[in-house]
């Protein structure tokens, strides 16, 4: 069954190009690399790579689905280069919009609706 939320399979996926090979370098040094004046200060490029990823907060969601639903979900993930998390989030957002569920803020709170 497809796992939703903080599963190990989806948590380990990284976008193309974000592997460790670029972070470690190829052993080549550019101009000024290794000079004593820069020895204690990390470069702007290194600092940018070490900053935490910024994005919406995610929480685990565990559920059981029909085997036919899982098959369709897996097909979509594999044929559209997506993730289970993204597919489920988009599907739920469309469902909520259809039933006029009010939106939540970035902290996950829904404002009280005035009548």
């Amino acid at each position: 069954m497809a796992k939703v939320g903080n599963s190990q399979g989806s948590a380990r996926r990284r976008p193309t190009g974000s592997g460790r090979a670029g972070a470690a370098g190829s052993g080549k040094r550019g101009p000024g690399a290794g000079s004593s004046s820069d020895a204690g200060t990390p470069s702007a490029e290194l600092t940018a790579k070490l900053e935490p990823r910024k994005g919406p907060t995610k929480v685990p969601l565990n559920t059981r689905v029909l085997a036919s639903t899982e098959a369709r979900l897996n097909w979509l993930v594999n044929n559209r280069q997506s993730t289970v998390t993204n597919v489920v989030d988009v599907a739920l957002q469309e469902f909520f919009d259809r039933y006029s569920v009010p939106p939540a803020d970035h902290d996950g709170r829904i404002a009280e609706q005035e009548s």
Side-chain angles (χ1 to χ4, degrees), residues 5-99:
N6 195 9
S7 67
Q8 290 180 354
S10 63
R12 292 183 186 172
R13 291 187 187 145
R14 292 184 177 177
T16 304
S18 66
R20 295 172 142 236
S26 62
K28 296 179 184 174
R29 294 182 174 222
S35 68
S36 59
S37 63
D38 295 334
T41 308
S43 68
E45 181 182 359
L46 178 61
T47 302
K49 287 180 181 180
L50 295 176
E51 286 183 13
R53 292 182 186 177
K54 295 174 183 160
T57 302
K58 295 181 182 179
V59 297
L61 173 67
N62 298 309
T63 188
R64 297 176 67 84
V65 296
L66 298 172
S68 58
T69 302
E70 180 199 24
R72 295 175 77 192
L73 177 59
N74 288 336
W75 184 92
L76 184 62
V77 166
N78 293 330
N79 290 287
R80 300 286 190 237
Q81 279 70 48
S82 187
T83 65
V84 171
T85 299
N86 290 343
V87 171
V88 170
D89 189 60
V90 169
L92 285 172
Q93 294 299 330
E94 289 183 10
F95 181 82
F96 295 150
D97 291 346
R98 182 183 310 156
Y99 287 97

